Amino acid sequence: MGTQIALTILFLLAFLLLLAFIELVYKRLNLQGEYTRKLAHFSATLSTITFPYLFTDHWYVLALAVIFFVLLLGSRNTSRLRSIHDITRISSGSFLLPAAIYFAFLISHLMEDRFLFILPMLILAISDPIAGLLGMNITRYNHEIILFKHRMGKTWLGSMAFFTSAFIICLIAFYFNKGGFELQTVGLSVIIAIVTATAELLSPKGTDNLVIPMSIILVLILFA
């Protein structure tokens, strides 16, 4: 138990240092909040890949999730953490990320399957920022997606980038998890890429941070 508490404190300090570093980068380099926000999203989410190997109980992850949810929520309308909150669009993504991490960990812990946590975090950490960055920065031949006359706020290039990166991540993850390529895992990779790209497209105001990992877990439980 002592080791688990020490690991929790260590991760707490590491996440706080990460936020402080990103805030410093935001101020010194005068970057847009969209970029530093995605850097924080990538770094923090990717670092959680180690959770299933380090934490033996979900309560420690819950403690971290609650602390950072309160920290992010409390700083929303202040001058703190502008590197996270300085965006023009309305988004609850930063608040939902700690919840998504915890719920994914809880499910994988209860089902005793680390892969149920690792794959969703990989896709959430990598594919989501890639889609956002390409969608924002490449405008030539890149049009906003419109469904039934409704602007989705996402671009074709961004969604294609999400699908492609999610598919590649799945192939690599399944290879290491199963020790090789199988026709079933290739098909499952396609399904996950389609489901997550669709979830990213249809989820409004940052809710994709929760919908994406939950949809991956659902697909893995049903078809893996």
Side-chain angles (χ1 to χ4, degrees), residues 100-170:
I101 291 171
Y102 170 69
F103 286 125
F105 183 87
L106 176 62
I107 295 170
S108 69
H109 177 71
L110 293 175
M111 299 193 70
E112 299 182 347
D113 187 351
R114 293 171 178 169
F115 197 69
L116 288 176
F117 179 79
I118 293 173
L119 182 59
M121 291 304 107
L122 283 173
I123 292 177
L124 189 61
I126 299 172
S127 298
D128 197 31
I130 286 177
L133 290 172
L134 288 179
M136 287 189 304
N137 291 286
I138 300 179
T139 57
R140 190 176 184 182
Y141 306 121
N142 185 26
H143 303 288
E144 183 179 1
I145 297 175
I146 301 175
L147 294 178
F148 304 108
K149 299 182 179 180
H150 178 69
R151 293 184 176 275
M152 305 304 298
K154 308 292 173 66
T155 66
W156 287 104
L157 180 58
S159 291
M160 290 171 60
F162 191 106
F163 171 85
T164 303
S165 59
F167 175 68
I168 294 172
I169 290 169
C170 284

Side-chain angles (χ1 to χ4, degrees), residues 61-110:
V61 179
L62 176 61
L64 288 171
V66 170
I67 289 172
F68 281 96
F69 175 83
V70 172
L71 176 64
L72 292 168
L73 185 62
S75 62
R76 183 174 188 176
N77 297 318
T78 70
S79 60
R80 304 292 182 183
L81 293 181
R82 301 310 301 162
S83 57
I84 306 296
H85 302 303
D86 185 19
I87 56 175
T88 56
R89 57 192 171 89
I90 299 174
S91 175
S92 58
S94 59
F95 313 119
L96 289 177
L97 182 59
I101 291 171
Y102 170 69
F103 286 125
F105 183 87
L106 176 62
I107 295 170
S108 69
H109 177 71
L110 293 175

Side-chain angles (χ1 to χ4, degrees), residues 169-190:
I169 290 169
C170 284
L171 286 180
I172 296 173
F174 279 126
Y175 175 83
F176 285 103
N177 188 54
K178 295 182 176 295
F181 288 115
E182 300 175 0
L183 183 60
Q184 178 188 4
T185 58
V186 175
L188 192 55
S189 297
V190 173

Side-chain angles (χ1 to χ4, degrees), residues 177-216:
N177 188 54
K178 295 182 176 295
F181 288 115
E182 300 175 0
L183 183 60
Q184 178 188 4
T185 58
V186 175
L188 192 55
S189 297
V190 173
I191 294 173
I192 292 175
I194 292 173
V195 169
T196 53
T198 303
E200 195 271 341
L201 172 64
L202 299 179
S203 301
K205 300 179 181 179
T207 53
D208 55 335
N209 276 354
L210 182 60
V211 175
I212 288 170
M214 293 303 105
S215 65
I216 296 170

